[in-house]
Amino acid sequence: MLAPPHSGCYGAAVAAVALSRARPLCSSLFRHRPLAFSYRASLCLNLSLGMEHFSTKGSTDKNKGLVEQLKHYEGSPAYVDSPVPIGYNATISAPHMHATCLELLEEHLQPGMHALDVGSGTGYLTACFAIMVGPQGCAVGVEHIPELVASSINSIKRSAASSMLDEGSLSVHAADGRKGWPELAPYDAIHVGAASPDIPRSLLAQLKPGGRMVIPVGNFFQDLKVVDKNDDGSVRVRSEASVRFVPLTSRAAQLHDY
């Protein structure tokens, strides 16, 4: 069982990219330490449904208030704490998984740091990264389905992270995520949203000494690995939890039976 994320700085970050039809965290993981985590049903990142007052500078009480408000929305699978298909044989992760990865990377998503989101999909987590590292930092999303890249950029333009997209501190690119995005490396934080048979060397090379990567590793049986690169370049790897992700593969393989 994963430990419940706390109401830290990423709680405010995810509140700031609240979506047009918010999706609450109903899991008992968050019963005792609620996280301000809203989600999407329509793939539109915006501050609607009267949530504008839950700003990125809001207090824990405001974050808890947002959670309470979200509990009133029912009737759609998009509100369940589970992955949701977004087309092209891709999914957006369950809210608890986003929260877990944000917590694991929190110390490496401080203002001014650089973050890479591999398999960025809807752009949701990339936008969270951008808000956490701020305009002096850099958040990069890489997605190999061009249609998802286009839709994610349109969504981010309607979010609290839109100004960072305009300023260039947030960007999303159509490319093979297995190769990372070396143009803006090295990265303090790397998140991989699909399961790789092993840890890609290209991503490890782009991880900054002192940085951390969170990546699901395995085929049928998968573990969420936490990869820390020491200052001398050596690497420590530990398993956080058993998980189930779609495979990190080529665009052609992903679309083969789509």
Side-chain angles (χ1 to χ4, degrees):
M1 177 68 73
L2 294 172
H6 58 74
S7 300
C9 63
Y10 62 84
V14 292
V17 289
L19 308 179
S20 61
R21 290 175 60 194
R23 174 179 179 176
L25 284 180
C26 301
S27 169
S28 60
L29 290 173
F30 307 95
R31 185 175 303 161
H32 301 296
R33 288 189 288 174
L35 171 68
F37 199 114
S38 53
Y39 212 52
R40 65 94 188 89
S42 64
L43 303 184
C44 280
L45 286 157
N46 58 43
L47 293 173
S48 61
L49 297 173
M51 298 181 197
E52 292 86 348
H53 59 290
F54 296 104
S55 69
T56 55
K57 296 181 180 178
S59 66
T60 299
D61 289 340
K62 287 185 178 180
N63 291 342
K64 290 180 179 179
L66 176 56
V67 173
E68 291 303 314
Q69 180 175 345
L70 295 177
K71 288 179 180 178
H72 295 293
Y73 296 96
E74 299 176 353
S76 169
Y79 302 104
V80 178
D81 184 23
S82 65
V84 175
I86 58 174
Y88 308 97
N89 287 332
T91 62
I92 182 171
S93 295
H96 79 268
M97 187 54 62
H98 275 167
T100 296
C101 291
L102 285 169
E103 182 170 82
L104 289 170
L105 292 170
E106 181 179 1
E107 294 302 315
H108 306 273
L109 292 170
Q110 297 300 307
M113 291 185 172
H114 284 210
L116 174 65
D117 185 18
V118 174
S120 52
T122 65
Y124 185 86
L125 204 59
T126 317
C128 291
F129 288 171
I131 290 175
M132 292 176 73
V133 301
Q136 302 306 314
C138 176
V140 180
V142 178
E143 168 58 56
H144 63 189
I145 304 297
E147 292 84 353
L148 290 179
V149 172
S151 64
S152 69
I153 290 174
N154 287 334
S155 294
I156 292 171
K157 287 179 178 178
R158 296 191 293 272
S159 81
S162 60
S163 62
M164 299 177 199
L165 189 66
D166 296 335
E167 295 164 0
S169 59
L170 166 57
S171 59
V172 185
H173 308 273
D176 187 341
R178 295 171 297 182
K179 299 178 182 179
W181 192 253
E183 288 86 341
L184 294 172
Y187 299 98
D188 299 277
I190 297 179
H191 167 266
V192 182
S196 175
D198 49 28
I199 300 172
R201 291 186 178 182
S202 56
L203 297 182
L204 196 57
Q206 294 174 40
L207 185 64
K208 184 178 181 179
R212 171 172 287 186
M213 181 193 314
V214 174
I215 176 173
V217 175
N219 294 304
F220 185 80
F221 296 103
Q222 302 170 5
D223 288 317
L224 187 65
K225 300 288 188 179
V226 177
V227 182
D228 291 307
K229 180 180 280 190
N230 298 317
D231 291 338
D232 62 2
S234 61
V235 173
R236 291 178 289 114
V237 182
R238 65 177 174 86
S239 295
E240 178 70 16
S242 296
V243 293
R244 185 65 175 166
F245 279 74
V246 296
L248 183 67
T249 185
S250 68
R251 179 171 59 190
Q254 182 170 325
L255 298 177
H256 176 68
D257 59 350
Y258 181 69

